[in-house]
Amino acid sequence: MSFFTSGLFWFIQGILTTVIIMAFRAWMEDRNVIMFWWKWFLFGIWIILAGFTIAFIFTSLGEGESVAAIKGGIIFSLITTISGVGIWRLINKKN
Amino acid sequence: MDRRKFLKASGVAGAVVGGAGLGFFGYEAGRDPDSYTGWKNREGGFQTFNRIKWAVDKPTYEKLGPSRRVDARTEVVFSRMGPLFRNWKEEEGTKSLPEYLKKYYDANPEILELDLKVKNELFPKLRKDRDKYGDKFILAEAWSDAMGAVWPEHSKEPPEIADFPERKDRKQLKMKSPEKTSKLIKKIAHQFGSTLVGITKLNPDWVYSHPMRRRGLDTDKPFEVPKHWQYAIVVGVPMSWDPMFANPNYGTSHDAYAISRIISVRLSTFIKQLGYAARPHTPGTEYDLMVPPILVDAGIGEQGRHSIVVTPELGSNFRPAIITTNIPLKPDKPIDFGVQDFCKSCKVCAEQCPSGSITKGDKVEIRGYKRYPFSPASCHNFWYSKLGNMGCRICISVCPYTRKANWVHKAAFNVSAYDPTGLADKALTAMQKIFYPGPDPQDYFIPSLGGKNASYRKPPWWLKTEDFIDL
């Protein structure tokens, strides 16, 4: 088992995620945007989607499935980008 | 920089580092040999699937009417080819064959045509292409032969002798309970190296009506199922994963066959030492019964469209052996984790099968049971239409269930197993076809038959002959 599939790795990922959430909160406060629970929910969904896309591409590469990496990368990146724009518009509303 | 700006900068840095970390995680998860489920594990740790959750009272095949047992002399392709080639005289036709074989071929002329094609057309073309292209597969063939070099012989005595302890003074030990014995047998089988173990009561429908050769049985007489064949224990292991994905020419059945055979002989010996009868039924051809339905009964998996049993842990990559015994055991229940529904819409194996042996149609009644029809004759013909190791196994490689046990495929498995609507199956099948395409099935053939000696995936580095040997 390598470091990247170990429990320590996920512990560090958890710390990083906490920092990302705190920074996002500070950033939205500075923009005078109120973060309702559903905004956090959408933000969480998008983070998972983005993480899935990155992990899928590299897992496929690790498996030697370059076609899956390329096609999956294109499809899931498109979905992540389009949903990111939509979710950002919803989250960025001031009320 | 004030604290707030620092926090925001840390968030950006955290996103970059976290994203990169996920990339590294993904790459490691993809190449991690630990995700090659079941390989060389001796503690049973990989039989992780919660079978109790998916246990059902009835197996996932359907009995429609009176059943008929398989005549292994004719319906098992390996049994009939030898007598056919030894006796066949072109001018006399089927009259030159033993009566039972004549009767079979007269009733199934299309199978005779396919079987004779091996000798008349495929062998000469294969020899020619082997001279031209065969060197590429030297390492694969050497590896396969080496894996098959350790191959314990079975007794040539009939069951009433061979199945019982050699020492006649060996008493049957009183076991405390069938539950405890089952637990013990499973642990021992795992210790012998078996990845999966299952137990069932033996259904006599699965025993050949006329057995295969070399098992100490009179193949000309109908075979009475011995009374001491009360239970069937299933053991087995997967084939090495990287060569398996490079089927049909780099993979080999010999690796898992040899291991399953050794495990079953060891387990039979263990049971005999307790004073009970035990008989191993093993790959390559030393069976007195059909294996797939016994796996279904024992809760190892479900039979797929390609006729191979799909297991939750290993997909189709499972090479089993059976031990029939009279030691009192507690049978396992069959399982239903959605393979029947998945196979209905998937059809990847049928589309990739170069010989067209797997149907794209629906299930039909065969010998009293509803199942997908399969043509062993045309499948067997393809074995002589490609180079590299004996056999094909493409249907095993391309089956969506035959995937490494990393997070991507585990997630897909669970989505399919839990979705009651069938929509997930359709989506996953579409993804399978888009993300994991195989070559054109015609490309798997030798060049003399219009192919390109293709394999489903590239061979592992250690089987690339051209990288190690001056050809």
Side-chain angles (χ1 to χ4, degrees), chain A residues 2 4 9-10 13 16 19-20 22-23 26-27 29-30 51-52 54-56 58-59 62-63 65 67-68 71-72 75, chain B residues 4 7-8 10-11 14-15 17-19 21-28 30-31 403 406-407 409 434-437 457:
Chain A
S2 82
F4 291 103
F9 167 75
W10 288 108
Q13 284 292 107
L16 291 174
V19 172
I20 293 166
M22 288 172 69
W27 189 43
E29 279 172 3
D30 289 354
F52 170 85
I54 294 167
F56 181 86
F58 286 94
T59 302
E63 281 186 322
E65 296 284 356
V67 174
K71 289 184 178 175
I75 293 168
Chain B
R4 201 162 182 84
L7 178 63
K8 287 198 275 188
S10 300
V17 175
L22 281 178
F24 281 111
F25 153 75
Y27 190 73
E28 285 298 317
R31 66 196 280 272
R403 286 281 159 188
N406 60 40
W407 68 276
H409 306 301
I434 293 167
F435 295 161
Y436 307 104
R457 290 288 180 265

Side-chain angles (χ1 to χ4, degrees), chain A residues 38-52:
Chain A
W38 57 267
K39 289 187 178 183
W40 282 114
F41 178 73
L42 288 176
F43 175 69
I45 296 277
W46 189 82
I47 289 287
I48 290 168
L49 189 57
F52 170 85

Side-chain angles (χ1 to χ4, degrees), chain B residues 210-441:
Chain B
H210 292 73
M212 296 174 87
R213 62 196 185 281
R214 300 203 309 267
R215 294 281 281 163
L217 297 164
D218 186 347
T219 54
D220 291 332
K221 287 182 187 160
F223 179 50
E224 289 265 337
V225 182
K227 284 198 174 78
H228 61 271
W229 290 10
Q230 292 168 16
Y231 299 94
I233 305 165
V234 179
V235 295
V237 294
M239 296 176 283
S240 299
W241 286 81
D242 286 334
M244 183 274 299
F245 279 124
N247 278 326
N249 23 36
Y250 290 93
T252 175
S253 302
H254 272 158
D255 60 351
Y257 275 2
I259 296 167
S260 295
R261 193 173 167 110
I262 291 166
I263 294 165
S264 63
V265 170
R266 282 183 172 157
L267 196 58
S268 300
T269 305
F270 181 85
I271 293 168
K272 284 183 187 178
Q273 290 295 332
L274 304 179
Y276 293 88
R279 183 178 184 85
H281 304 263
T282 67
T285 55
E286 275 86 4
Y287 306 98
D288 304 319
L289 35 73
M290 282 199 294
V291 173
I294 295 175
L295 268 63
V296 176
D297 291 345
I300 292 289
E302 294 183 59
Q303 194 168 19
R305 178 179 286 276
H306 50 358
S307 293
I308 291 170
V309 169
V310 180
T311 73
E313 294 89 346
L314 310 164
S316 305
N317 185 16
F318 180 63
R319 295 305 215 187
I322 307 275
I323 298 106
T324 47
T325 182
N326 61 356
I327 194 167
L329 296 166
K330 188 191 174 206
D332 293 306
K333 282 192 166 187
I335 54 170
D336 179 357
F337 59 102
V339 172
Q340 302 313 308
D341 288 338
F342 192 87
C343 284
K344 210 181 281 178
S345 61
C346 172
K347 303 181 187 178
V348 168
C349 56
E351 287 162 10
Q352 274 284 300
C353 177
S355 59
S357 306
I358 303 168
T359 182
K360 290 175 188 164
D362 294 330
K363 289 181 181 178
V364 296
E365 182 176 345
I366 298 172
R367 293 185 294 270
Y369 289 89
K370 196 175 174 186
R371 54 163 291 189
Y372 289 111
F374 175 79
S375 170
S378 59
C379 172
H380 188 246
N381 274 19
F382 179 70
W383 297 16
Y384 302 99
S385 308
K386 36 72 64 178
L387 290 172
N389 289 328
M390 174 63 77
C392 170
R393 301 166 296 271
I394 288 171
C395 54
I396 293 175
S397 309
V398 303
C399 175
Y401 284 99
T402 310
R403 286 281 159 188
K404 292 176 77 172
N406 60 40
W407 68 276
V408 173
H409 306 301
K410 273 185 180 172
F413 174 89
N414 280 304
V415 167
S416 167
Y418 280 102
D419 172 41
T421 64
L423 288 173
D425 288 351
K426 289 200 172 85
L428 289 168
T429 302
M431 283 164 76
Q432 170 78 19
K433 289 176 186 176
I434 293 167
F435 295 161
Y436 307 104
D440 183 321

